[in-house]
Amino acid sequence: MNEKEKDDLYKAFGITPPSDVFEDENDKAYLRQEILERIQLTQHVQQQQERVFKLKRKKVMLSIAAAVSFILLSTSVLFFYFFNTAYITIEVAKGETRQLVLPDGSKVWLNSASTFKYPKKFGKKRTVYLIDGEGFFDIVHDKNVPFVVEAAGIKTNVLGTSFVVKSYQALSTMSVAVLSGKVAVSDDQQQTSILLKNEQVVYNKDHRKPKVLKVQAVERRAWNDGNIVLNAAYFEDLVLAVENAYQVKIKYDPEKFRNCQNSIRFNTSQSLTEVLDLIKEIQGITYQINKEKEVLITGSGCN
């Protein structure tokens, strides 16, 4: 292809032929200088981009290192915490009771259908958890380390005394009764009740208003000897006591019997029929027991 043909091809595509752009040596020198400057500018930009990339990479590496360090530290803390504050959980079946000796020598008796958790070793705190059920606590005195029982959001603080905490999840109330010494009972609303011997505080789980009563507190732990003593107890409390003692399921209308309160005493050595006959006499119920040890209670209730 000759020069004329090349020029014609450039013009066909609307491109100025190189022969028209660079007519003398000055133009060519100018072009070389411009190309050199563009190359230098490109190199400078690349160097800047490389510095920025290295800086970002350094920051990312530092962030990763910090994250790894945090994870390792957290894992170490959790590892230490787990193996130094491991807990033991005790579940007591219906129809049974159980006695425990805690790490500080304190004693706990758990009623039927109770779940209790405590640490293998006490440290600066002596805190245990009554997750469900009822427990009688006889606490070793330590003026420097208070003993705390947590149950349903209620904390019972003692230095050394004996008391009963009743906190069944199936009941609408929970209570603390003192057999000896003094306890401080507080809730999540910062309400605190100071109880002495033969005093009991009752919390309704709905409104959480504490109600302090005078009681014969020794009766609150009578179940430990197989005796069930309920004074002015709501029907739900009575039903649960029978269910736990005789390992049965009782069906009844909670609304119809909501306002029923009764006092009753019986021993778990008595038969289920004997106890139900006693409830029939004081509450006027009728009942049926099927083969699956399920009891159906009907009656007019206490409207």
Side-chain angles (χ1 to χ4, degrees):
M1 183 181 293
N2 57 38
E3 291 299 325
K4 184 177 184 307
E5 290 175 337
K6 290 182 180 179
D7 290 342
D8 291 339
L9 186 60
Y10 278 116
K11 290 177 181 179
F13 283 95
I15 301 174
T16 304
S19 58
D20 294 342
V21 176
F22 308 113
E23 295 180 352
D24 55 32
E25 290 300 323
N26 290 334
D27 289 335
K28 292 179 180 180
Y30 175 80
L31 177 62
R32 284 194 296 271
Q33 182 63 30
E34 184 177 358
I35 290 173
L36 179 60
E37 290 177 355
R38 287 182 178 273
I39 291 174
Q40 291 175 341
L41 178 61
T42 301
Q43 290 176 339
H44 177 71
V45 170
Q46 289 177 340
Q47 290 173 353
Q48 288 291 100
Q49 289 177 340
E50 288 178 359
R51 281 197 291 269
V52 171
F53 175 76
K54 289 180 180 179
L55 182 60
K56 288 184 177 179
R57 184 172 63 179
K58 184 177 180 180
K59 289 182 178 179
V60 170
M61 295 302 294
L62 289 174
S63 298
I64 293 174
V68 171
S69 298
F70 176 77
I71 292 172
L72 292 175
L73 179 61
S74 300
T75 303
S76 300
V77 171
L78 289 174
F79 183 85
F80 177 82
Y81 180 81
F82 177 80
F83 284 99
N84 286 275
T85 59
Y87 285 88
I88 297 173
T89 300
I90 304 296
E91 295 182 356
V92 183
K94 288 184 177 181
E96 299 179 5
T97 59
R98 185 167 176 178
Q99 180 183 356
L100 306 172
V101 178
L102 300 181
D104 64 342
S106 297
K107 296 179 181 179
V108 181
W109 288 261
L110 298 173
N111 202 353
S112 299
S114 293
T115 301
F116 179 71
K117 185 173 76 171
Y118 66 96
K120 288 183 177 179
K121 182 179 180 180
F122 287 132
K124 294 182 179 180
K125 295 181 179 180
R126 293 188 293 170
T127 302
V128 299
Y129 305 88
L130 183 61
I131 299 170
D132 190 15
E134 185 173 18
F136 167 60
F137 298 83
D138 190 2
I139 305 305
V140 171
H141 182 79
D142 187 339
K143 65 178 181 179
N144 297 317
V145 186
F147 191 97
V148 181
V149 180
E150 292 195 16
I154 305 298
K155 294 183 179 181
T156 302
N157 295 266
V158 303
L159 295 177
T161 185
S162 60
F163 57 98
V164 175
V165 178
K166 186 172 185 178
S167 182
Y168 281 102
Q169 294 178 8
L171 298 180
S172 60
T173 62
M174 70 87 62
S175 63
V176 179
V178 179
L179 279 75
S180 65
K182 179 172 64 175
V183 307
V185 184
S186 59
D187 63 5
D188 51 11
Q189 298 178 13
Q190 306 302 315
Q191 300 177 108
T192 301
S193 301
I194 305 299
L195 305 179
L196 302 177
K197 181 179 179 180
N198 289 328
E199 289 186 333
Q200 173 179 270
V201 62
V202 180
Y203 287 85
N204 185 292
K205 292 179 181 178
D206 290 333
H207 56 66
R208 290 286 190 178
K209 293 180 179 178
K211 184 178 181 180
V212 178
L213 306 169
K214 288 288 186 179
V215 296
Q216 289 298 317
V218 67
E219 295 179 346
R220 294 296 184 272
R221 59 154 297 184
W223 47 263
N224 194 41
D225 299 317
N227 296 307
I228 307 300
V229 181
L230 299 173
N231 291 314
Y234 284 101
F235 199 73
E236 64 170 9
D237 205 339
L238 191 158
V239 166
L240 185 64
V242 175
E243 286 183 329
N244 290 342
Y246 294 95
Q247 305 175 56
V248 296
K249 178 62 180 177
I250 298 178
K251 290 187 175 182
Y252 70 105
D253 186 343
E255 287 298 322
K256 185 177 290 187
F257 290 89
R258 179 182 295 276
N259 298 320
C260 296
Q261 284 185 280
N262 297 286
S263 296
I264 188 172
R265 294 169 180 253
F266 63 89
N267 189 280
T268 53
S269 63
Q270 295 176 253
S271 68
L272 174 61
T273 301
E274 289 177 320
V275 175
L276 290 174
D277 284 339
L278 183 58
I279 298 173
K280 179 179 180 179
E281 181 179 341
I282 62 175
Q283 183 59 55
I285 64 164
T286 57
Y287 68 88
Q288 291 180 323
I289 305 175
N290 62 27
K291 294 180 181 180
E292 287 75 30
K293 294 192 73 174
E294 185 177 85
V295 180
L296 174 63
I297 289 180
T298 56
S300 57
C302 303
N303 296 324

